[in-house]
Amino acid sequence: MAFEDVKDNVKEQVKAIWARVRESDAYLQLNERYQSLSPNGQKAALAGGVAVAFLIVMAIPWTFYSGSKTSIEEYEAKRDVVRELFKVNREASGLPPAPPPIAASELESMARQTLTTARLVPEQIVSVTESPANVSGIAKTIDQTGIAVSLAKLNLKQIVEIGSELQGMQSTARMMGLEVKANAADSRYYDVVYKIVAFAAKPEVAPKKGKK
């Protein structure tokens, strides 16, 4: 019953609005122009009016459709980003753990063992000592351990072979410097200083627990 009352009330309001529109000057002028048109002109004007009314009516749902399409595109873009993050996380979790930092004494011991296998005489091994390692461009989160291996009276073949062995003695070791000069006593041989640096990720510092 209430619905019928609302329906009748809406009809009355529409009739009242239409009556006021028909009494307006703008409507009367448009009606006069419409009546003065030829039958074909009236049909064209009527078709144009219907088309304009249709576009006005369809503008509202089109606005909602366009907005929903934009929302769907944003959702799909964010969904793809989340999927990529999960993929990267899975790949990162499958990587082997970073090698622990190596002490200079361990690196020196490896270098001496490498020199032993190279069959050098004691006079050729001048020194194996710790050397400051501060390679530029390396992040502060990377630990650097360096040693200097000084050898004397090497030929060219020995320089290349020993350098390759020293660089491969540890998976993270790299040769970051090489000094070669002719031996003072015998110019047929060379004195060489290999600068080896090992890189490793610094261990994470556990956060201090606050007092309760």
Side-chain angles (χ1 to χ4, degrees), residues 2-194:
F3 176 75
E4 294 295 334
D5 294 339
V6 172
K7 184 177 180 181
D8 293 338
N9 189 19
V10 171
K11 286 182 178 180
E12 293 298 330
Q13 291 182 0
V14 170
K15 288 180 180 180
I17 294 172
W18 178 243
R20 287 198 297 270
V21 170
R22 293 183 64 181
E23 294 174 357
S24 65
D25 295 337
Y27 177 81
L28 294 174
Q29 291 177 2
L30 289 174
N31 189 39
E32 289 178 1
R33 292 181 180 179
Y34 177 76
Q35 295 299 333
S36 63
L37 294 173
S38 63
N40 291 335
Q42 290 180 355
K43 290 180 180 180
L46 185 60
V50 172
V52 171
F54 176 78
L55 292 176
I56 293 174
V57 171
M58 292 301 296
I60 297 175
W62 173 257
T63 302
F64 284 107
Y65 170 76
S66 179
S68 62
K69 186 177 181 181
T70 302
S71 300
I72 291 174
E73 291 176 352
E74 292 178 354
Y75 162 75
E76 291 178 348
K78 293 179 181 179
R79 179 196 60 189
D80 294 340
V81 171
V82 172
R83 286 179 176 175
E84 190 66 23
L85 288 175
F86 277 115
K87 179 181 177 181
V88 172
N89 186 37
R90 288 194 300 269
E91 292 176 352
S93 61
L95 293 175
I102 183 172
S105 57
E106 296 179 64
L107 205 58
E108 290 176 17
S109 177
M110 293 179 184
R112 291 186 182 277
Q113 185 175 359
T114 300
L115 296 179
T116 300
T117 58
R119 297 180 181 179
L120 297 177
V121 297
E123 292 76 12
Q124 291 180 289
I125 303 175
V126 179
S127 65
V128 180
T129 57
E130 181 179 359
S131 176
N134 187 19
V135 180
S136 60
I138 301 299
K140 294 182 179 180
T141 55
I142 301 299
D143 186 74
Q144 302 183 39
T145 303
I147 61 171
V149 181
S150 298
L151 305 178
K153 292 186 177 181
L154 299 183
N155 56 40
L156 292 177
K157 182 180 179 181
Q158 288 175 316
I159 293 174
V160 174
E161 291 179 349
I162 294 174
S164 177
E165 293 294 328
L166 289 174
Q167 182 164 255
M169 67 183 178
Q170 213 271 346
S171 60
T172 62
R174 294 292 180 271
M175 186 184 301
M176 304 306 297
L178 177 65
E179 297 177 6
V180 181
K181 62 181 180 179
N183 183 266
D186 192 342
S187 59
R188 295 175 301 173
Y189 299 98
Y190 302 92
D191 297 338
V192 184
V193 178
Y194 300 95

